[in-house]
Amino acid sequence: MGVAVVGRDTLVDRARCCLDEGRPVLLEGPAGIGKTAVHRTLLDAAARDGWLVLACAPTEIEQSLPFAALADVLAPLADRAAQLSPPQRAALGGVLLTGEVTGPVDERAVGAATRAVLEAAVADTPRVLVAVDDAPWLDPPSERALRFALRRVVPRVAVLVTARSDRPRETPLGLDQGATGALLERVPLGPLGVGALHHVLRAETGATLPRPLLVRIAEDSGGNPLLAIELARAVLRLPQLPAPGADLPAAPSLRHLVAERLAALPPATRQAIRLAALSGGPTLSGLARAGVAPEDLDAAEEAGLVAVTGEEVTFAHPVYAAAVRGDVPPGVRRRLHRLLADTARDPDERARQLARCVDAPDAAAAAEIAAAAARQRALGAPEIAAGLYETAARLAPPEAAGEYARWRLAAAQCRYDSGDYPAARAAAERVAEELTGPARVEALLLRAVVGWSADEAAETIVATAERALAAAPAGSALAGRIHAHLSMFRDAPDPGRWHAERAVVLLAGSPEDGPVLAGALLLLLYHEVRAGLPVRAELLERALALEGEEPSWLAGTVPAILWKSFDEHGRARERLHRMLDRAVVRGDEPFQHELLCHLGETELLAGRWADAAAHLAAARELGEQYGADSAGVDWLEGLLFAHRGRLAEATRIAEDGLRRAAELDDAWRLRIHTQLAGYAALMAGRMPEAARHYGVLAAAMDELGLVEPIAQRTEPDWLEACVGAGDLTTAEAVLERLAARHRRLPRPWTTLALARSRVLLAGALGRDPSEALAELDAARAAVPADVLPLDRARCLLVAGLAYRRVRRRREARDALTAAAGEFEALGAAALAARARAEAERTGGRAAPRQLTGTELEVARLAAAGRTNRVIADTLFISPKTVEANLARVYRKLGVTSRAELGAAMARGAGADG
């Protein structure tokens, strides 16, 4: 172990053990305490042990260099870019400067690409270490990309980070959050003792100090190695060593001591290291263009302030660079920045230097800085771009009003694109206050979009968008874009449809607004369906043709939502997965979250509950990572719990959701959790409570003008609750409500629900259910078994109860046992138990050898020589369900082979007598 980390043996061993276990390690301590030395020791050890080390050491000046740190981390993985998808490959090429960027790069795609190459590296190299020294100086785009990727690859990838503890900030890279936070090991570096400092000072200064003087240096430095070194050097510069009791050189701060050393350097050297400290990435050739000769750096290198390695010039410690910059007077600093700008060959470096030295309106400088902002925006660094756009606007002369407005708007949009909603909100509001005309309108529209993304109150969002609309030129494409957004913002179908209609008209002649027009067409269709109007397939066809391979960003989920509501689960599933794949490639987590929720609901309806649970678990994990509202996930998980018979959990979710809806005055949250509360009460047999919840929900939808509530299928459950509660008048009204929905838009679920409800009501009213039962049989036959398996099974349950009521016991038992089998296959435990209990009431407990309906069907097919796969395909169940049913058949019939099963079935075993 090197002298630089003497006295840190135990600490280094602790950190190495944590890294071996995949636990992130955060080295913390004040400036100069030795974090970098320990960090380098750990990197060297990992490299010797065969680890793939991906490291960076950002500096304060590099914070304005987008992706500078990430490029260092990913440079060893550059050859893996060819394996990435095109968007990720382009994003990584922009970071590593290995390919030409032909179009704008979404910053989120950079994070997704970073994750992808790290996962690929782990697959090939078992031990991978990502190391960041002085993480608070990470440039923002690098920080966000690493934050995104690391929380998904830890603990498969080890992470080592250093940060100063004397400047409290949030934990670097979000390492204290989520699952990563549970693994994080904080390793604080404390002061060194006198013995350890003796070795450090002798190695750094070449002098052996008397122990009394060493003790005083240790006391005055607080055991900080770097401060102790500077104190020792100051002491050694004195004509003679201080006598016992004499004062040591004053050391108010490490920076003060460094400043004293700088003052002792030759003027040419001071000028050279000032230019180096102010440069984005100092090199000998770059400094030479600014008038620095190589020998001008010799004195600084001999003093241990800088190191020259080939072309690169680096400071020995970040404190030295900060001290140099802090020692430059403002006027001198501006002149040096100007010199660096005039001699820079890279246009982005020139723009950064201009931004620091030009302080008066300058059209040429403003244009150069704005051009650099556009390049950074295209590379996927919107936060850096926002700062440059703001500087360009500040430097725009009065006659450049158009450019000023455009740059201010671009800065606000970049704040939004970077995910900094508070800054985007403030920027958009300032622009709206300052500007007039179309620029003000654009700012107001952006302000509304920010509010939508940040989950602000709907009234605030709509009011802001309506202000934009009032100020927009009448009949313009800009007005059309605002109408399209208002159609998205409005929950009520009538105003939503009104805005969508106007958007379609105004955008029809604007080719550049094709994506917005596609979204407006989809929103028009969506609101028309919700308003109870006929489905206009031509709107969907036109929208899909306009969007091509790229789903509409404004309303791309609408087709899947509609197909889901039409019980076309396969079409909905295919589109949602295609959109999810794109969102994953781009690293768009909010959209991934939304799509996973839609997929969860699709699979709930399709009876693929294991898939639904997986989608919802992924959505919850993702939402917890980036702070999404969990209302949609909670609601769908509550429905899944209720389906599976976990009614206490479903009820708790509903109650929590209703309480939160009241706190937020959130109409959508109120609707979905009222529906869940009603369904949980219905499954628990609390019929009056369920009927009350459904009545509240219906009143809310009526008040909104929601004639066709696409996501709600409440009428059959409401009717069942009313029948159970004895409120037959309301039940009859609900039946007519359901019939009207079926007449407007016949779907498999309305077909089954209407037939089931008519059987229920006929029995409750004492009428002959024969006609209704025949209709129910026809409805089940019309709907394939894999479309709505839960609804089909509930139809059997209702049929069995109706048959028993009219004393058709065998038919009742057949229907109820078949219902129980279908419920069991789904995992609907509560409903399966109820069906079995009702079957037992048809004429005593069933004989142990009696097969359920599903078991009988499986047994007959197996006896006929069908394979498990053929049986599964025939009955629309999984091969595992076939195996489970066969196992129960063998047990009940006392057979051990298919041959014995065939003989038993020939004798009529297992059939109902």
Side-chain angles (χ1 to χ4, degrees):
M1 186 174 296
V3 69
V5 289
V6 67
R8 306 289 194 194
D9 307 59
T10 302
L11 183 148
V12 168
D13 290 342
R14 173 185 165 193
R16 288 191 66 177
C17 287
C18 291
L19 294 174
D20 286 338
E21 296 168 0
R23 299 178 61 189
V25 173
L26 174 59
L27 302 175
E28 297 178 294
I33 200 66
K35 301 183 297 298
T36 296
V38 173
H39 182 267
R40 289 173 180 165
T41 297
L42 290 167
L43 296 194
D44 291 344
R48 286 196 303 272
D49 291 343
W51 289 48
L52 172 61
V53 177
L54 308 172
C56 66
T59 63
E60 181 180 4
I61 198 68
E62 291 175 342
Q63 273 198 308
S64 62
L65 302 178
F67 299 120
L70 186 63
D72 289 343
V73 170
L74 299 184
L77 305 179
D79 58 340
R80 299 179 185 271
Q83 305 165 15
L84 301 177
S85 64
Q88 292 181 356
R89 189 163 60 246
L92 197 60
V95 170
L96 298 174
L97 304 179
T98 56
E100 183 180 355
V101 179
T102 58
V105 173
D106 189 327
E107 185 183 31
R108 294 167 299 190
V110 178
T114 302
R115 174 190 182 182
V117 293
L118 287 176
E119 288 180 333
V122 170
D124 296 340
T125 309
R127 312 306 297 272
V128 178
L129 173 63
V130 173
V132 183
D133 189 19
D134 239 340
W137 294 132
L138 282 167
D139 61 275
S142 292
E143 195 277 340
R144 280 194 291 274
L146 287 170
R147 177 187 290 254
F148 175 92
L150 291 179
R151 70 188 183 203
R152 288 161 178 77
V153 297
V154 169
R156 291 171 294 154
V157 170
V159 179
L160 175 64
V161 172
T162 72
R164 288 177 60 174
S165 59
D166 52 345
R167 290 185 178 176
R169 302 185 185 187
E170 66 174 23
T171 302
L173 299 170
L175 293 176
D176 60 341
Q177 299 170 8
T180 306
L183 299 172
L184 177 63
E185 182 75 7
R186 294 179 180 271
V187 180
L189 273 69
L192 289 180
V194 174
L197 283 177
H198 162 69
H199 292 285
V200 170
L201 296 182
R202 185 174 62 183
E204 292 294 327
T205 66
T208 300
L209 301 177
R211 183 169 178 81
L213 180 57
L214 189 62
V215 170
R216 293 181 61 193
I217 289 176
E219 290 174 349
D220 283 16
S221 67
N224 184 299
L226 193 59
L227 185 53
I229 291 168
E230 294 301 326
L231 265 176
R233 284 174 171 156
V235 165
L236 293 171
R237 286 197 298 270
L238 297 173
Q240 60 183 21
L241 295 180
D247 291 333
L248 297 182
S253 70
L254 179 58
R255 184 170 292 191
H256 176 80
L257 282 172
V258 175
E260 289 185 349
R261 290 178 63 196
L262 296 175
L265 295 173
T269 300
R270 286 204 305 274
Q271 173 83 346
I273 61 171
R274 281 175 170 179
L275 286 167
L278 295 174
S279 174
T283 62
L284 287 178
S285 58
L287 293 174
R289 289 194 299 273
V292 175
E295 57 269 21
D296 292 342
L297 292 166
D298 291 349
E301 192 170 14
E302 290 170 3
L305 293 173
V306 299
V308 178
T309 307
E311 263 283 291
E312 289 189 1
V313 179
T314 58
F315 282 86
H317 194 281
V319 169
Y320 294 163
V324 171
R325 287 191 291 272
D327 188 51
V328 183
V332 175
R333 179 187 284 248
R334 282 194 296 274
R335 288 194 296 274
L336 293 177
H337 279 306
R338 184 80 228 194
L339 176 59
L340 289 169
D342 291 343
T343 57
R345 289 183 175 174
D346 176 61
D348 290 331
E349 174 64 13
R350 173 175 166 77
R352 283 189 289 270
Q353 297 295 342
L354 285 174
R356 295 185 179 112
C357 67
V358 180
D359 54 5
D362 185 322
E368 286 191 66
I369 294 168
R375 287 191 294 271
Q376 299 308 321
R377 187 180 189 181
L379 286 171
E383 186 171 345
I384 299 292
L388 291 170
Y389 274 128
E390 287 164 356
T391 300
R394 176 175 57 81
L395 298 178
E399 62 271 16
E403 288 81 359
Y404 174 83
R406 187 167 66 252
W407 296 336
R408 290 296 305 277
L409 275 172
Q413 182 67 52
C414 286
R415 296 291 180 199
Y416 173 72
D417 292 341
S418 72
D420 189 349
Y421 296 152
R425 181 187 302 117
E429 289 173 351
R430 285 195 301 270
V431 175
E433 289 173 3
E434 291 179 18
L435 303 181
T436 59
R440 176 173 180 269
V441 176
E442 293 277 13
L444 287 169
L445 178 57
L446 175 59
R447 173 64 184 87
V449 171
V450 171
W452 177 261
S453 300
D455 293 322
E456 293 181 15
E459 296 80 4
T460 301
I461 298 166
V462 170
T464 304
E466 288 178 341
R467 285 173 58 202
L469 185 61
S476 64
L478 177 55
R481 291 197 295 276
I482 300 168
H483 277 299
H485 282 83
L486 276 165
S487 180
M488 180 176 66
F489 298 154
R490 297 302 296 261
D491 191 21
D494 287 342
R497 179 164 56 95
W498 185 85
H499 284 295
E501 287 172 343
R502 279 145 188 79
V504 169
V505 171
L506 294 175
L507 296 174
S510 178
E512 64 270 21
D513 287 313
V516 185
L517 176 57
L521 289 163
L522 292 173
L523 288 166
L524 177 56
L525 174 62
Y526 176 71
H527 286 302
E528 284 186 349
V529 172
R530 295 172 81 228
L533 299 175
V535 177
R536 289 202 284 163
E538 65 272 17
L539 292 177
L540 180 59
E541 292 168 1
R542 185 179 169 194
L544 294 178
L546 270 173
E547 69 176 26
E549 291 299 313
E550 187 65 34
S552 164
W553 56 266
L554 191 65
T557 56
V558 165
I561 291 171
L562 292 175
W563 291 329
K564 181 171 49 177
S565 75
F566 300 160
D567 298 320
E568 297 180 27
H569 305 137
R571 293 183 76 185
R573 186 181 296 121
E574 187 277 332
R575 183 174 177 91
L576 291 170
H577 275 295
R578 181 160 60 91
M579 296 176 72
L580 180 61
D581 290 343
R582 289 175 177 269
V584 169
V585 165
R586 291 179 174 139
D588 187 344
E589 291 187 324
F591 199 34
Q592 290 175 50
H593 184 268
E594 179 183 350
L595 293 166
L596 286 166
C597 288
H598 282 303
L599 279 166
E601 186 179 10
T602 300
E603 304 304 6
L604 267 180
L605 295 171
R608 295 162 56 158
W609 293 353
D611 290 343
H615 290 314
L616 296 177
R620 182 170 296 284
E621 180 182 2
L622 194 62
E624 288 172 352
Q625 288 176 351
Y626 82 92
D629 186 349
S630 65
V633 178
D634 292 341
W635 168 56
L636 292 169
E637 284 188 341
L639 285 176
L640 183 56
F641 286 151
H643 288 338
R644 288 176 162 172
R646 297 165 62 178
L647 301 179
E649 292 163 276
T651 300
R652 176 187 55 77
I653 290 172
E655 290 172 348
D656 291 346
L658 289 172
R659 186 163 46 250
R660 186 65 175 151
E663 292 171 358
L664 299 176
D665 192 23
D666 186 331
W668 172 75
R669 194 185 300 255
L670 177 66
R671 291 200 302 271
I672 61 175
H673 285 98
T674 299
Q675 184 265 339
L676 174 59
Y679 186 70
L682 178 70
M683 292 294 101
R686 303 192 302 271
M687 299 304 187
E689 178 187 340
R692 176 176 58 80
H693 283 303
Y694 285 127
V696 170
L697 176 59
M701 292 189 294
D702 291 346
E703 182 180 357
L704 190 64
L706 201 52
V707 178
E708 179 52 53
I710 292 175
Q712 297 289 359
R713 306 180 174 196
T714 55
E715 285 83 4
D717 294 335
W718 186 11
L719 183 143
E720 184 176 343
C722 289
V723 168
D727 184 0
L728 301 186
T729 300
T730 302
E732 289 183 290
V734 175
L735 181 63
E736 177 50 38
R737 187 182 180 112
L738 174 58
R741 289 188 73 176
H742 182 68
R743 287 192 297 271
R744 278 193 305 270
L745 186 57
R747 286 151 286 177
W749 83 262
T750 60
T751 300
L752 292 172
L754 192 57
R756 184 175 106 223
S757 298
R758 283 174 174 157
V759 172
L760 269 173
L761 192 56
L765 293 171
R767 298 170 181 164
D768 181 1
S770 298
E771 185 178 340
L773 283 166
E775 180 188 343
L776 185 61
D777 286 342
R780 262 185 58 93
V783 176
D786 63 338
V787 173
L788 293 167
L790 180 63
D791 295 56
R792 285 170 48 84
R794 291 181 71 183
C795 286
L796 279 177
L797 175 60
V798 167
L801 296 175
Y803 282 129
R804 192 183 67 197
R805 190 174 294 110
V806 295
R807 301 184 182 282
R808 293 161 62 175
R809 293 183 181 277
R810 177 169 179 171
E811 291 162 293
R813 190 161 55 248
D814 285 348
L816 291 169
T817 53
E822 292 186 16
F823 286 136
E824 284 179 347
L826 278 168
L831 286 168
R834 182 186 173 194
R836 294 223 173 276
E838 298 290 355
E840 291 172 5
R841 293 178 59 193
T842 59
R845 183 175 299 276
R849 287 165 57 87
Q850 181 179 317
L851 303 182
T852 67
T854 302
E855 290 168 352
L856 190 58
E857 292 179 2
V858 169
R860 285 171 176 162
L861 291 169
R866 304 293 192 272
T867 65
N868 285 6
R869 169 57 67 183
V870 171
I871 296 171
D873 293 342
T874 302
L875 300 181
F876 298 102
I877 57 179
S878 70
K880 287 189 176 180
T881 302
V882 174
E883 292 173 6
N885 276 277
L886 272 177
R888 290 194 294 271
V889 168
Y890 282 15
R891 185 175 65 253
K892 289 181 178 182
L893 301 186
V895 300
T896 59
S897 68
R898 295 204 177 204
E900 292 178 355
L901 174 62
M905 295 303 294
R907 295 192 303 270
D912 178 23

